């Protein structure tokens, strides 16, 4: 059974940084692309970033490009999202998801990031 | 970026009803479309991928159709567990984009 467990969320001031982690189990992690998707309070889903299984390719939404960095450690079966220069509109629940060539069959439970002074 | 537009935004229906949710893409995405169900406080759940392929474990009352720019999600006979928000998502290219969601509520 695929399990994804996010951690690292919390309250941070505008301009601050945070690193999210997503521990994966139950599937061949290094063979699968992974994505981060976020959901602002009361809003819809927004894809944030994706990374290939080998980490050779990364992709970002324009809204986070240059501020967020996706990475992975295939030895630790862990996905990361380094978030810098955080803004109030980055406040959201962040989900990691298994990415099967674009559709997302498995999701974590989410971790809440709040950006506020 | 490809824009995804769902209609309606809110749908009121009763148990046993047949409901249809529509998703339109701003350009052709062939069949690279997924549908998700989300309940309050929970992660989205994949229902349909490649426009019409039913994800394993999803009840057969859910079905998807369409190609190009117009797609539909049909629930053949609503069950109490189906009242939720539904999202479509295109994945022909990055950035992946989602529709704004359809809130399916009890009439």
């Amino acid at each position: 059974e695929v399990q994804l467990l996010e951690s690292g969320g919390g309250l941070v001031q505008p301009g601050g940084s945070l690193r999210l982690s997503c521990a994966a189990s139950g599937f061949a992690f290094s063979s699968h692309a992974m994505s981060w998707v976020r959901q602002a309070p009361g809003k819809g889903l927004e894809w944030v970033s994706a990374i290939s299984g080998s980490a050779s390719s990364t992709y970002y939404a324009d809204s986070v490009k240059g501020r967020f960095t996706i990475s992975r450690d295939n030895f630790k079966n862990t996905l990361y999202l380094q978030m810098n220069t955080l803004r109030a509109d980055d406040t959201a629940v962040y989900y990691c998801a298994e990415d099967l060539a674009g559709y997302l069959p498995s999701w974590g439970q989410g971790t809440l990031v709040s950006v506020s002074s | 970026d490809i824009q995804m537009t769902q209609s309606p935004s809110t749908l009121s229906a009763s148990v046993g009803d047949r409901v249809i949710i529509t998703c339109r893409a701003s350009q052709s995405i062939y069949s690279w479309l997924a549908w998700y169900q989300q309940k309050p406080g929970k992660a989205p759940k994949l229902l349909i991928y490649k426009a019409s392929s039913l994800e394993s474990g999803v009840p057969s009352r859910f079905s998807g159709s369409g190609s190009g720019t117009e797609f539909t999600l049909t629930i053949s006979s609503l069950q109490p567990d189906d009242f939720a928000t539904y999202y479509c998502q295109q994945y022909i290219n990055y950035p992946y984009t989602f529709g704004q969601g359809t809130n399916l509520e009890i009439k």
Side-chain angles (χ1 to χ4, degrees), chain A residues 43-54:
Chain A
K43 302 298 185 182
L45 301 170
E46 180 189 15
W47 175 81
V48 172
S49 183
I51 186 169
S52 63
S54 65

Side-chain angles (χ1 to χ4, degrees), chain A residues 89-114:
Chain A
D89 63 357
D90 294 318
T91 294
V93 173
Y94 285 73
Y95 296 100
C96 65
E98 182 190 9
D99 185 336
L100 287 189
Y103 65 95
L104 309 174
S106 302
W107 298 61
Q109 85 290 347
T111 188
L112 177 62
V113 172
S114 296

Side-chain angles (χ1 to χ4, degrees), chain A residues 47-88:
Chain A
W47 175 81
V48 172
S49 183
I51 186 169
S52 63
S54 65
S56 59
S57 299
T58 57
Y59 309 89
Y60 298 94
D62 285 346
S63 58
V64 306
K65 201 172 294 183
R67 300 187 300 121
F68 289 12
T69 302
I70 191 171
S71 63
R72 64 192 297 160
D73 184 333
N74 286 343
F75 293 103
K76 294 183 177 179
N77 283 2
T78 302
L79 174 72
Y80 302 101
L81 186 67
Q82 177 67 43
M83 304 186 295
N84 298 330
T85 319
L86 283 160
R87 312 186 302 220

Side-chain angles (χ1 to χ4, degrees), chain B residues 13-52:
Chain B
S14 302
V15 172
D17 285 353
R18 178 174 181 264
V19 300
I20 298 173
I21 298 169
T22 299
C23 178
R24 290 185 173 85
S26 60
Q27 64 189 74
S28 176
I29 58 170
Y30 300 92
S31 295
W32 303 117
L33 184 99
W35 290 97
Y36 302 86
Q37 176 193 69
Q38 187 180 33
K39 296 182 179 179
K42 300 295 187 181
K45 173 187 175 183
L46 176 68
L47 301 175
I48 302 283
Y49 61 96
K50 209 173 179 185
S52 60

